[in-house]
Amino acid sequence: MAKKAKKQQQAGGTPATVALTSAGVDHTIHAYDHDPSHPSYGEEAAEAMGVSPDRVFKTLVADVDGTLTVAVVPVAGSLDLKALAAAVGGKRAAMADPTLAERTTGYVRGGISPLGQRKKLPTVVDDSATAHGTICVSAGRRGLEVELSPEDLARLTGATLAPIARA
């Protein structure tokens, strides 16, 4: 890791924010006080930021035919596992073991970001993201979101855009 990136992490940055800054991507960081008793990390983020839940996306890790795969879907909906499998040319998908997801991405549940993961995983972003100029995703810890264009998110993660969410 470059010295600049290490300094940013030590100054409160996360691997996700370091990746964005290093890539020179236009983004906005939104911090809020996380309430551990809130039933949904994504809905909490939308409420705290005053942003429509259609623009706030959650990062989920699934196992598609033995390969961990990242799915980014609106917090207002849920992940369609069959659609995710089809989007990456797989047959069967199931939610990944949470401990394995944390260990592989380097983030904790509720704070998994599609950006700056420890290991680069295949990523699919729900195509509804393109209906918005900007969307919000986890910036790498609970209570921290990053707002950026869906195109920049897809480019930085190497994501495929596909209809993988259910309302």
Side-chain angles (χ1 to χ4, degrees), residues 4-16:
K4 183 178 179 182
K6 274 191 178 179
K7 284 182 183 177
Q8 284 180 302
Q9 266 188 296
Q10 291 169 352
T14 66

Side-chain angles (χ1 to χ4, degrees), residues 19-31:
L20 287 165
T21 302
S22 296
V25 170
D26 189 28
H27 64 281
T28 304
I29 300 294
H30 299 277

Side-chain angles (χ1 to χ4, degrees), residues 10-152:
Q10 291 169 352
T14 66
T17 60
V18 170
L20 287 165
T21 302
S22 296
V25 170
D26 189 28
H27 64 281
T28 304
I29 300 294
H30 299 277
Y32 59 92
D33 291 327
H34 166 61
D35 176 2
S37 68
H38 200 288
S40 166
Y41 297 118
E43 289 174 13
E44 176 191 24
E47 291 167 9
M49 295 185 303
V51 174
S52 166
D54 293 339
R55 282 189 49 228
V56 179
F57 283 64
K58 56 189 169 186
T59 306
L60 303 170
V61 181
D63 180 321
V64 179
D65 298 334
T67 300
L68 289 183
T69 304
V70 174
V72 183
V73 298
V75 301
S78 61
L79 173 61
D80 181 334
L81 289 165
K82 286 183 181 182
L84 175 64
V88 295
K91 294 181 181 183
R92 196 174 309 216
M95 293 307 297
D97 172 72
T99 303
L100 180 59
E102 289 179 341
R103 190 170 53 241
T104 304
T105 64
Y107 295 115
V108 298
R109 267 184 299 165
I112 294 179
S113 177
L115 300 157
Q117 294 182 357
R118 183 177 288 151
K119 180 179 178 188
K120 189 167 176 66
L121 300 173
T123 302
V124 181
V125 175
D126 185 66
D127 62 359
S128 67
T130 61
H132 309 285
T134 60
I135 60 170
C136 298
V137 296
S138 175
R141 70 172 176 254
R142 296 173 188 153
L144 193 67
E145 294 281 310
V146 62
E147 182 176 351
L148 74 166
S149 77
E151 294 79 15
D152 282 338

